[in-house]
Amino acid sequence: MTELKYRELGRTEIKTFPLGFGGIPIQRLSKEEAVKVIHRAIEGGLNFIDTARLYNDSEEKIGAALKSIDKRIYLATKTPAGTKEEALADVGESLKNLGVDKIDIYQLHNVDTEEKFEKRMSEGGALEGLKKAQEEGKIDYIGVTGHSTELLMKLVKTDEFDTVQLCYNFIEDECEEELIDYCHENNIGMIGMKPFAGGALDNAPVTLKYILRQDGVVPIPGIESVEEINENIEIAKGSWEYTDEEAEVMEKLKAELGENFCRRCNYCQPCPKDIPISMVIRAKSFITRMPKEAITDEEGWIYGGFEKAKKCIECEECIERCPYNLEIPELIKDNLEIMDEFRNN
Ligand code: SF4
Ligand code: SF4
């Protein structure tokens, strides 16, 4: 057993257990099951939980679990709001759901297009709402999340954010080029989302050790069972060095996934049929992490995205733009089949 290295989240005063708790998958659990998993995580040492307004009842389940806990747990949540008023309303909802007077980190959620950047960062935008909430003592720190490393660089350079939530695993490692160094130099806390690449990676030791070894990034694996949390805690408390066998597995997985793996960078856009490509070519990620009702709701964004995908005209414009040369029209067809099968079962 190695000495446990707590992580400092940049300029915030937050010191976390090496792993945080990702609040997406508890949407799929009953309230009782979710509370049990969260309690086990806290007993095991975790002290940082991340969720979002968009994760259905995840905030409420976390609030329910925290009622009987007197240990200091740091909370982060997120708003998809565009405007100041919407962001302030979301902060109010989150406080109520989580059952606290103050939230440690409130993040702008998934700022992944220039349009979203402009709206949230300009006068009357969501950032202004979060600043107002901060002045009013409702939140401590402001963060941002996104999948585009390029846009995240632009966001952190505004110096408006105490933390950044970046997509990070050994397949999606673009943030190692510049973003991580910039955050270290400017004391911005780093929260690592999708350590398991949205379900594409399933070897926990190989996957988590890669991020744990990167100084300062706190990975927040989505957790939905006591077995998973126990395994993850063991890994965090053990040696983060790869065994020869693990190093081999990582190289093998890299080679296997490299050819078909979408990094969600969105360089393939715009699509003339408005297909949300990076979303529809990862059907399995939704199926394994989201509640079935959220996927099959005909009014929902997931259903709508897959319906749009049926209109692909195979123009291949996206392939030319994809830096990884993914065979996007083929991947769309495969994923539509997977989704159809899921909907019909
Ligand atoms: S091939 Fe399909 S997904 Fe790609 S740009 Fe054309 S219509 Fe859009
Ligand atoms: S298909 Fe290619 S360009 Fe589009 S998001 Fe995925 S990796 Fe990026």
Side-chain angles (χ1 to χ4, degrees):
M1 198 71 64
T2 51
E3 190 195 343
L4 193 60
K5 297 185 198 93
Y6 272 72
R7 308 214 130 171
E8 294 184 10
L9 263 182
R11 63 183 69 153
T12 75
E13 285 167 7
I14 300 172
K15 282 199 175 69
T16 78
F17 185 85
L19 291 177
F21 185 102
I24 292 186
I26 55 168
Q27 297 171 81
R28 293 150 56 93
L29 305 182
S30 69
K31 193 164 158 188
E32 291 67 35
E33 287 167 334
V35 167
K36 199 168 150 196
V37 173
I38 296 166
H39 282 175
R40 173 61 203 130
I42 294 172
E43 272 163 31
L46 269 74
N47 64 344
F48 176 58
I49 301 179
D50 178 83
T51 179
R53 294 288 308 113
L54 284 179
Y55 302 163
N56 296 299
D57 58 1
S58 171
E59 285 186 339
E60 289 159 53
K61 286 169 174 161
I62 293 164
L66 294 182
K67 272 191 189 146
S68 53
I69 298 286
D70 53 14
K71 189 177 158 191
R72 176 74 164 99
I73 304 298
Y74 295 101
L75 294 174
T77 187
K78 328 178 180 80
T79 173
T83 67
K84 177 181 176 181
E85 286 69 31
E86 288 164 353
L88 276 167
D90 267 354
V91 171
E93 274 300 301
S94 299
L95 287 169
K96 197 171 69 188
N97 292 340
L98 292 164
V100 293
D101 299 326
K102 195 190 252 190
I103 290 161
D104 299 286
I105 305 175
Y106 216 102
Q107 304 154 102
L108 296 181
H109 196 169
N110 206 11
V111 184
D112 59 356
T113 61
E114 287 288 344
E115 205 186 333
K116 284 190 187 173
F117 178 98
E118 290 306 325
K119 183 151 190 197
R120 282 151 185 71
M121 303 298 287
S122 59
E123 209 184 319
L127 177 65
E128 233 178 76
L130 295 190
K131 284 184 168 180
K132 177 105 173 63
Q134 197 177 35
E135 275 166 33
E136 292 172 352
K138 293 175 179 164
I139 65 177
D140 260 337
Y141 303 106
I142 298 178
V144 66
T145 84
H147 292 94
S148 157
T149 307
E150 200 180 320
L151 263 178
L152 286 180
M153 269 311 293
K154 191 170 161 182
L155 284 154
V156 292
K157 282 184 174 173
T158 63
D159 203 28
E160 296 282 9
F161 301 101
D162 303 307
T163 63
V164 61
Q165 192 166 138
L166 38 88
C167 208
Y168 191 32
N169 53 66
F170 65 78
I171 301 286
E172 296 172 282
D173 56 2
E174 213 183 311
C175 54
E176 288 179 1
E177 282 166 25
E178 197 183 357
L179 183 57
I180 288 180
D181 286 346
Y182 185 89
C183 291
H184 275 305
E185 282 156 22
N186 293 278
N187 219 7
I188 296 168
M190 288 173 277
I191 303 165
M193 68 162 121
K194 304 202 169 58
F196 290 90
L201 304 172
D202 58 7
N203 186 312
V206 172
T207 307
L208 288 179
K209 284 181 187 183
Y210 184 83
I211 309 159
L212 289 168
R213 285 160 52 177
Q214 175 65 258
D215 192 26
V217 182
V218 180
I220 48 165
I223 294 161
E224 64 178 318
S225 74
V226 168
E227 291 71 34
E228 270 173 16
I229 188 65
N230 286 344
E231 183 181 21
N232 292 351
I233 289 169
E234 275 304 299
I235 295 163
K237 288 184 171 172
S239 163
W240 299 345
E241 290 301 316
Y242 278 140
T243 60
D244 289 347
E245 198 186 324
E246 286 167 348
E248 232 174 80
V249 171
M250 186 185 82
E251 290 311 322
K252 198 163 158 247
L253 282 168
K254 260 186 164 178
E256 276 170 15
L257 283 169
E259 283 177 19
N260 279 326
F261 190 74
C262 170
R263 274 83 170 166
R264 291 165 279 216
C265 58
N266 283 331
Y267 293 133
C268 48
Q269 294 291 356
C271 157
K273 292 291 172 189
D274 199 27
I275 297 170
I277 297 169
S278 62
M279 182 199 128
V280 298
I281 60 177
R282 54 193 173 93
K284 277 188 190 152
S285 166
F286 291 107
I287 292 169
T288 52
R289 297 184 316 145
M290 304 281 285
K292 186 160 186 180
E293 316 81 70
I295 302 170
T296 53
D297 172 10
E298 294 189 13
E299 303 296 317
W301 58 279
I302 301 174
Y303 194 96
F306 280 88
E307 286 305 293
K308 278 186 187 169
K310 291 179 178 166
K311 303 201 170 80
C312 174
I313 49 172
E314 301 187 33
C315 64
E316 302 195 351
E317 283 178 26
C318 50
I319 301 185
E320 282 165 38
R321 295 194 202 104
C322 174
Y324 307 97
N325 301 317
L326 299 192
E327 290 293 335
I328 295 168
E330 285 306 310
L331 288 171
I332 287 179
K333 279 189 217 157
D334 294 347
N335 279 272
L336 278 173
E337 267 178 38
I338 294 170
M339 189 48 86
D340 270 350
E341 204 183 319
F342 176 74
R343 282 179 186 168
N344 297 329
N345 280 320

